[in-house]
Amino acid sequence: MMLPADFDHLVIAVPNLAESVEQCEAVLGVRPVPGGVHPGLGTANALLGLDIGGTRARRAYLEILGPDPDQDPQLSAPRLGGVSAPIVQRWAIHPSDFDGAVAAAAGASDPAVDLGEVHDMTRRTPEGETLRWRLTRRIPLALGGIQPFLIDWLDSPHPASRDMPSVSLAQFWATSPDPAEPRAVLAALDARIEVEEGEADSLHTRLEGPRGPWIL
């Protein structure tokens, strides 16, 4: 499996977080742990660690992202609008030099890479801790989410450092009607994954747990 060294996490967008946590446990045999809520964004998440190549990755995890029932549903619309079933929506990398990577992308010309704007983010954990980080955000997603966003966890503990159950990331790939374009963008970001020819720009994964696989 082709995966960049600075791979950070996959985002599985879902229409109902509680139902998708139950589905994940039923299919994989592993129950995601509550991650927390994103104040003002209308979303909440649940997390699982990721085993890559048979080893638990210290800085890689799976995020199941859905609407927070305690926030205004309109707040989550920019990120979850149109999501009617679990999908691999996007993914993140954590370059060692976040600012340098953002500047390099902005200066790229062949191909041009638009990462969007850098945003400061927070998440309130179930324990009451507030995590702070920053990331690049582009809406709508570039190349159907194939282009990763960049993340910098600042001084917050990385989510994968938590004690939580994990599943195996058996496969992670993309499809595109014109694979050459996303391959060039991924190469410019030094974030190569497999890109196959397909009907639409989209991300795909095969997760494996004690009960079997979950292909999304």
Side-chain angles (χ1 to χ4, degrees):
M1 177 175 59
M2 188 184 303
L3 202 65
D6 55 2
F7 172 83
D8 194 88
H9 68 280
L10 290 184
V11 179
I12 308 298
V14 301
N16 184 294
L17 184 58
E19 291 179 1
S20 292
V21 166
E22 296 294 334
Q23 179 183 13
C24 181
E25 183 176 22
V27 174
L28 292 172
V30 177
R31 188 175 184 86
V33 300
V37 300
H38 304 102
L41 296 180
T43 54
N45 64 17
L47 310 177
L48 283 172
L50 284 178
D51 298 332
I52 300 174
T55 303
R56 171 70 183 273
R58 293 184 178 180
R59 297 197 65 177
Y61 67 100
L62 178 74
E63 175 183 14
I64 301 176
L65 180 73
D68 178 6
D70 294 328
Q71 297 188 62
D72 183 345
Q74 295 301 316
L75 292 173
S76 65
R79 295 159 190 82
L80 298 175
V83 175
S84 58
I87 60 168
V88 188
Q89 186 188 59
R90 50 201 166 103
W91 64 296
I93 58 175
H94 56 254
S96 57
D97 180 3
F98 178 87
D99 293 312
V102 170
S109 58
D110 188 20
V113 179
D114 180 6
L115 293 174
E117 299 179 346
V118 175
H119 290 261
D120 295 320
M121 298 284 293
T122 63
R123 172 161 59 86
R124 188 174 63 251
T125 70
E127 295 76 27
E129 181 183 10
T130 298
L131 303 181
R132 302 182 187 279
W133 69 95
R134 55 184 180 154
L135 53 71
T136 60
R137 181 191 298 159
R138 181 175 166 185
I139 299 176
L141 295 173
L143 298 172
I146 298 175
Q147 176 181 298
F149 64 96
L150 277 55
I151 193 164
D152 175 9
W153 287 101
L154 302 172
D155 294 328
S156 292
H158 193 276
S161 65
R162 287 181 58 184
D163 183 16
M164 58 183 170
S166 63
V167 294
S168 174
L169 179 62
Q171 290 178 281
F172 176 50
W173 75 100
T175 59
S176 174
D178 180 14
E181 180 182 2
R183 285 171 184 163
V185 170
L186 293 172
L189 293 172
D190 195 20
R192 295 171 179 84
I193 61 172
E194 295 177 6
V195 183
E196 303 174 354
E197 186 171 351
E199 294 183 358
D201 289 328
S202 58
L203 291 169
H204 309 265
T205 190
R206 178 186 174 97
L207 305 168
E208 294 184 352
R211 287 187 183 164
W214 193 16
I215 301 173
L216 295 161

